[in-house]
Amino acid sequence: MSTPISPPSNIAEITAPLLLGIMWNWALYGALAVQFYVYSYNFNDRKLVKVLVYSVFALETLQTALTGADANYWFVSGFGNFERLSRPFASEYDVPVMVAIIAVIVQFFFAYRIWVINKRCLWICIIICLTSLTAAGGTLVGGIRTAIQGQFFQGGALQSDALVSVVGGVVCEVLIASTMTFLLLREKAHISRTGGHILTKIVRLTIETNVLICLLTISALLMVTIFPDTNWFTCPTAILGKLYSNTLFVSLNNRISLRKEPNVRVSTFALGSFPATSNSSTRHTRDEDSPSGTLKDTILSHGRASTRPAEDGELDSGLVHGDKTSVSV
């Protein structure tokens, strides 16, 4: 009879990050699936927005399936094979590659929203896009190195890649949150109390989601720095993509709660097209006091916001206009 192989003394430190990362990844996919259903049921946005939403959900579905393959490789078919626990299998693709793609998509989306709100912020949007690509490049390089070496434990070699990825990601998120907050609060001074209440909710949501992503990104860097010869960093990185996707979906679905505000109708023009104006009168005005100074669509409506699905072209862009008129969010 062959002698059973004793597990390494640090078996818990090896398996816990992998298992916890997969479990949280699947849990957030469940939340994302609910957000996707809510969006599909309530909104009928432009085709470009639909392509964006469905593409992100498809990528996340693929990424979740690949993490399932990783779990099978480490804990099912490889049960008892402790060498497999140090091998990435498909995780060098489903984490760095997929997360980089999803992060770029979401960050470019928010950069475009900022540009729509204020055309003068084009240079900030360019910086956001460049830092997003820089962070994605660092993430991809780290994934390539992991694939070449065939193991998680890369020590100091991974830290330079992680530093580029984390710094770029944090700078990008801070720019998005600070710029959106500044532009929205600047609008708050020119609108009604109801509109100001809605803007406060949008600002709070923007800050909370970006801070959460920043904290998770920084925690991944700390894991690599403090525990360079372990795979603890795989736990936060495994769920980072799901946070980006949920941030995008929550931002779009937030329009549902805004419809419940009294004397407010939700309308948007984030992708360059104005919403439908049936059952309401439309007045196009030049808003000289607005930070952007662009032509804006003021839709005069009365009573509570409509509970109908959003019309074609309606998208969350983050502007509020009028006393009891449209909320361009």
Side-chain angles (χ1 to χ4, degrees):
M1 177 181 291
S2 60
T3 304
I5 301 176
S6 300
S9 59
N10 63 338
I11 185 64
E13 296 181 1
I14 297 175
T15 57
L18 301 176
L19 186 59
L20 290 175
I22 292 173
M23 291 174 60
W24 279 105
N25 184 286
W26 291 353
L28 288 176
Y29 180 77
L32 185 70
V34 174
Q35 293 288 342
F36 178 73
Y37 173 78
V38 171
Y39 173 84
S40 302
Y41 182 80
N42 288 278
F43 299 103
N44 184 29
D45 291 324
R46 292 182 59 186
K47 290 183 179 180
L48 182 60
V49 185
K50 288 184 178 180
V51 169
L52 173 70
V53 171
Y54 281 79
S55 298
V56 169
F57 186 74
L59 287 173
E60 288 293 4
T61 302
L62 176 61
Q63 200 260 359
T64 304
L66 289 175
T67 58
D70 289 331
N72 178 77
Y73 178 81
W74 292 322
F75 304 113
V76 181
S77 64
F79 183 79
N81 187 343
F82 302 111
E83 291 184 0
R84 285 197 176 190
L85 296 175
S86 64
R87 299 172 187 169
F89 190 56
S91 63
E92 70 262 37
Y93 306 109
D94 59 55
V95 175
V97 175
M98 304 293 284
V99 170
I101 294 174
I102 293 170
V104 167
I105 292 175
V106 175
Q107 289 167 343
F108 272 52
F109 169 79
F110 282 101
Y112 183 76
R113 287 179 62 187
I114 292 173
W115 179 77
V116 168
I117 294 174
N118 193 327
K119 300 297 190 298
R120 299 175 185 175
C121 292
L122 177 61
W123 63 275
I124 298 181
C125 299
I126 294 175
I127 295 176
I128 291 174
C129 293
L130 290 178
T131 54
S132 176
L133 292 174
T134 301
T139 304
L140 292 174
V141 170
I144 293 173
R145 289 196 180 190
T146 302
I148 293 175
Q149 296 190 10
Q151 60 179 2
F152 287 119
F153 313 123
Q154 302 177 36
L158 183 64
Q159 295 187 34
S160 59
D161 308 324
L163 184 63
V164 172
S165 176
V166 171
V167 172
V170 170
V171 170
C172 187
E173 294 300 323
V174 170
L175 284 174
I176 291 174
S178 59
T179 305
M180 287 286 293
T181 301
F182 173 76
L183 293 177
L184 295 177
L185 291 180
R186 191 175 180 181
E187 287 282 338
K188 189 175 180 179
H190 306 287
I191 60 178
S192 65
R193 179 178 300 179
T194 300
H197 171 67
I198 295 175
L199 272 185
T200 301
K201 294 174 61 177
I202 299 174
V203 169
R204 185 185 301 117
L205 177 65
T206 301
I207 294 177
E208 288 175 351
T209 53
N210 283 272
V211 167
L212 182 60
I213 291 176
C214 287
L215 291 177
L216 191 67
T217 306
I218 294 174
S219 69
L221 177 63
L222 293 177
M223 295 290 185
V224 176
T225 305
I226 299 174
F227 309 106
D229 296 320
T230 68
N231 57 1
W232 275 107
F233 69 93
T234 61
C235 184
T237 55
I239 64 177
L240 190 57
K242 292 295 189 296
L243 281 183
Y244 278 111
S245 301
N246 275 282
T247 297
L248 172 64
F249 281 38
V250 168
S251 175
L252 294 174
N253 291 337
N254 188 49
R255 290 171 291 178
I256 297 176
S257 64
L258 299 184
R259 289 177 183 162
K260 300 178 181 179
E261 296 293 338
N263 302 323
V264 171
R265 176 180 175 182
V266 178
S267 63
T268 59
F269 51 93
L271 293 182
S273 66
F274 294 98
T277 59
S278 58
N279 301 324
S280 58
S281 60
T282 304
R283 180 182 65 204
H284 296 280
T285 61
R286 174 72 63 177
D287 189 351
E288 300 296 343
D289 297 329
S290 171
S292 59
T294 57
L295 184 66
K296 296 179 179 177
D297 186 35
T298 303
I299 302 177
L300 304 180
S301 61
H302 304 280
R304 295 190 62 83
S306 172
T307 58
R308 60 170 176 76
E311 296 294 338
D312 185 35
E314 294 191 357
L315 174 67
D316 189 327
S317 68
L319 294 178
V320 177
H321 301 287
D323 293 333
K324 51 181 180 180
T325 57
S326 66
V327 180
S328 298
V329 289

